[in-house]
Amino acid sequence: YICGDAKVTKTHSYKLYKMSVERSFIAVKPDGVAKGLIGEILKRYEQKGFRVVALKQLVPTKELAEKHYEEHKERPFFGELVSFITSGPVVAFVLEGKGVVAAARLMIGVTNPLLSNPGTIRGDYAIEVSKNIIHGSDSVASAEREIALWFKTEELLQ
Ligand code: ADP
């Protein structure tokens, strides 16, 4: 099967069917907030059936942004990335649901909006890699790290 940008084998498809409930960290970046896309993005995830278990708006500090993107600290665009994400309000939220980490990424599209399929968030609303509207965790392990970085335990519904 072709599933978004990934080839999905029958075995993988069976694993998706059996997939357990997960949590993913999502952030509408300053360009997404400025374009008035908070509601549209939340609507897509809610209509899909994922549950919002935490939600807040904040202007991230430089420290938070650097920790969030620490895997990219040697990349040439790191400075630009941190200054962009701290340039205005971000809407950070946590989604819960079966297979939500991979599914949320499929709904986002790929890193470069010009290569993202129409119907995906980046495919529908962006052109520039550096202004690609939204962040979504790329694995269950990253989701756990990012949720702990952005939210206190008591801010999450149990
Ligand atoms: P994704 O957000 O799709 O998981 P990455 O984790 O690879 O992508 O990169 C993090 C963010 O850094 C991207 O969403 C994008 O905004 C930015 N970025 C990635 N590559 C570049 C690049 N070559 N130039 C500028 N910004 C980039």
Side-chain angles (χ1 to χ4, degrees):
Y1 309 102
I2 302 293
C3 179
D5 307 291
K7 274 193 186 147
V8 176
T9 63
K10 275 194 176 171
T11 316
H12 187 190
S13 160
Y14 181 65
K15 281 189 190 145
L16 287 172
Y17 167 71
K18 292 210 345 168
M19 203 160 245
S20 52
V21 173
E22 301 168 347
R23 285 181 169 190
S24 187
F25 173 75
I26 311 289
V28 183
K29 298 180 184 182
D31 54 328
V33 175
K35 280 187 168 173
L37 292 172
I38 301 166
E40 171 64 28
I41 289 167
L42 284 168
K43 181 176 142 217
R44 289 182 182 213
Y45 288 123
E46 286 192 296
Q47 287 186 341
K48 174 80 174 166
F50 296 127
R51 190 164 82 109
V52 178
V53 293
L55 175 74
K56 66 181 167 190
Q57 181 167 222
L58 70 160
V59 179
T61 60
K62 189 165 182 248
E63 189 194 6
L64 174 59
E66 285 176 348
K67 277 192 194 148
H68 176 78
Y69 281 126
E70 84 191 348
E71 67 170 310
H72 296 304
K73 64 172 182 281
E74 306 303 332
R75 308 282 283 275
F77 56 85
F78 183 69
E80 183 199 348
L81 182 58
V82 169
S83 72
F84 174 65
I85 204 81
T86 58
S87 68
V90 164
V91 172
F93 57 98
V94 177
L95 293 176
E96 184 180 85
K98 185 173 164 181
V100 68
V101 172
R105 296 266 299 184
L106 280 178
M107 290 168 70
I108 286 171
V110 295
T111 306
N112 185 340
L114 289 177
L115 301 176
S116 294
N117 287 325
T120 64
I121 294 164
R122 288 174 177 164
D124 288 348
Y125 299 116
I127 289 173
E128 303 289 339
V129 175
S130 57
K131 293 197 173 75
N132 60 7
I133 307 286
I134 184 165
H135 166 84
S137 306
D138 64 4
S139 66
V140 172
S142 309
E144 281 170 8
R145 186 187 79 86
E146 292 166 2
I147 291 166
L149 190 59
W150 289 75
F151 287 94
K152 298 183 193 128
T153 313
E154 61 268 28
E155 292 176 316
L156 297 155
L157 293 181
Q158 294 313 310

